[in-house]
């Protein structure tokens, strides 16, 4: 089957001043694009600006065949982030939120109810709208990234699938964390461990899959690639061990090129220097696995 997925929330242009280029990205955008590449009928619901950065995001989504019928185009600057690479690891050094924030409408929720899975996450600034999203969605996926336990505890009950990131954690700790989150309500929990692979738990079944060896160029968006493969496989009913292996392999492959999913563009002059906003508040400040 071809799953129907809608990703809701953040988009951004990731600016690489050291390379003089920028790439479209953001957790929700990345998941939508990778799901489409994996054969899903995917859509994106979010707000883009009217500047050069917004045009880059729109063009990339359209080029990838993502449904944009729910997209808002809002007068003003698009969200952007400044990225520095240190031995392939991305470091966010600044950026701006732009026109990212928006409110869901009744029409949006009706459309979301038609999807097999709806995805959003901690970068999307949607926390106060999670109850509506959870009610509308057949299955809601939420990326908690590396947020503290208090945040996870507050919002996990809304998610059917929860994804967390613990890149420096041990496998045993990831198993314990996955079980703890599952007890809050999600039916499936994934904990990504960066180069150490990922732990998945669904019901009483728990599996671990190692990461595929790869020459790392840029880890940006690897976690989002993992999420897309996880969601597509979950809707298709893939066995958990096979799904874990496929998702980690897909995420590893995403580290072999710059940007979250390509579509390089020349760095716009207005985005060439870091903004004053700290990276921690940016919509996609935790995109890696």
């Amino acid at each position: 089957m071809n799953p129907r997925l809608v990703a809701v929330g953040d988009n951004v242009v990731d600016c690489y001043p050291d390379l003089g280029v920028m790439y479209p990205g953001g957790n929700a955008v990345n998941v939508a694009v990778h799901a489409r590449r994996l054969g899903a009928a995917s859509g994106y619901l979010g707000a883009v600006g009217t500047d050069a950065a917004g045009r880059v995001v729109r063009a990339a989504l359209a080029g990838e065949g993502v449904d944009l019928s729910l997209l808002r185009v809002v007068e003003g600057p698009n969200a952007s982030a400044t990225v520095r690479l240190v031995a392939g690891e991305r470091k966010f050094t600044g950026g701006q939120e732009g026109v990212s924030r928006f409110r869901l409408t009744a029409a949006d929720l009706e459309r979301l109810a038609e999807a097999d899975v709806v995805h959003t996450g901690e970068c999307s600034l949607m926390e106060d709208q999670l109850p509506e999203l959870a009610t509308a969605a057949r299955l809601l996926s939420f990326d908690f990234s590396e947020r503290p336990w208090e945040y996870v505890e507050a919002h996990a009950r809304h998610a059917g699938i929860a994804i967390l990131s613990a890149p420096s954690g041990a496998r045993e700790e990831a198993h314990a964390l996955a079980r703890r989150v599952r007890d809050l309500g999600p039916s499936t929990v994934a904990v990504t461990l960066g180069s150490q692979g990922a732990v998945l738990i669904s019901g009483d079944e728990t599996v671990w899959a190692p990461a595929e060896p790869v020459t790392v160029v840029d880890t940006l968006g690897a976690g989002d690639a993992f999420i897309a493969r996880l969601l597509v496989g979950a809707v298709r009913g893939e066995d958990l061990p096979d799904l874990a292996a496929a998702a980690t392999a897909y995420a590893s492959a995403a580290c072999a090129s710059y940007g979250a999913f390509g579509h390089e563009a020349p760095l716009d002059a207005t985005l060439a220097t870091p903004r004053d906003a700290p990276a921690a508040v940016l919509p996609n400040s935790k995109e890696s696995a």
Side-chain angles (χ1 to χ4, degrees), residues 19-275:
L19 304 177
V21 297
M22 59 184 178
Y23 296 91
N27 174 260
V29 161
N30 297 341
V31 171
V33 167
H34 282 292
R36 184 72 189 95
R37 290 180 176 181
L38 289 162
S42 74
Y44 172 67
L45 195 170
V48 298
T50 50
D51 58 356
R55 291 192 292 274
V56 165
V57 173
R58 276 185 285 162
L61 287 166
E64 293 285 343
V66 174
D67 181 2
L68 299 182
S69 59
L70 293 173
L71 183 71
R72 279 104 156 129
V73 179
V74 181
E75 184 68 33
N78 205 82
S80 63
T82 303
V83 183
R84 305 282 181 174
L85 290 175
V86 180
E89 290 290 334
R90 93 289 182 263
K91 305 293 182 183
F92 289 95
T93 61
Q96 63 174 349
E97 184 181 293
V99 300
S100 296
R101 295 180 184 267
F102 64 94
R103 302 298 302 180
L104 295 166
T105 67
D108 292 333
L109 295 171
E110 288 180 6
R111 288 283 302 279
L112 293 176
E114 299 172 359
D116 295 306
V117 59
V118 174
H119 173 75
T120 191
E122 53 93 26
C123 293
S124 290
L125 310 172
M126 303 292 294
E127 288 87 351
D128 64 332
Q129 300 182 75
L130 280 180
E132 291 88 347
L133 271 175
T135 299
R138 299 180 187 180
L139 177 63
L140 180 63
S141 162
F142 194 92
D143 178 20
F144 290 92
S145 189
E146 298 176 56
R147 287 293 190 115
W149 178 252
E150 292 77 11
Y151 182 92
V152 177
E153 192 172 32
H155 302 299
R157 68 183 185 276
H158 298 299
I161 298 178
I163 305 98
L164 300 92
S165 180
S168 60
R171 195 192 318 174
E172 295 76 14
E173 295 172 354
H175 280 285
L177 176 60
R179 289 192 294 269
R180 193 179 179 193
V181 176
R182 178 202 57 189
D183 292 343
L184 296 175
S187 58
T188 300
V189 179
V191 180
T192 61
L193 298 168
S195 62
Q196 301 303 308
V199 168
L200 265 69
I201 184 169
S202 185
D204 294 327
E205 186 178 12
T206 305
V207 299
W208 169 76
E212 294 285 335
V214 65
T215 300
V216 174
V217 173
D218 184 0
T219 60
L220 186 72
D224 305 334
F226 174 93
I227 292 170
R229 183 63 183 87
L230 170 68
L231 299 182
V232 170
V235 173
R236 288 174 175 164
E238 295 178 14
D239 291 336
L240 200 65
D242 293 339
L243 178 53
T248 53
Y250 191 76
S252 295
C255 297
S257 58
Y258 288 110
F261 57 89
H263 293 267
E264 178 183 300
L267 181 59
D268 187 81
T270 62
L271 300 171
T273 58
R275 301 284 177 169

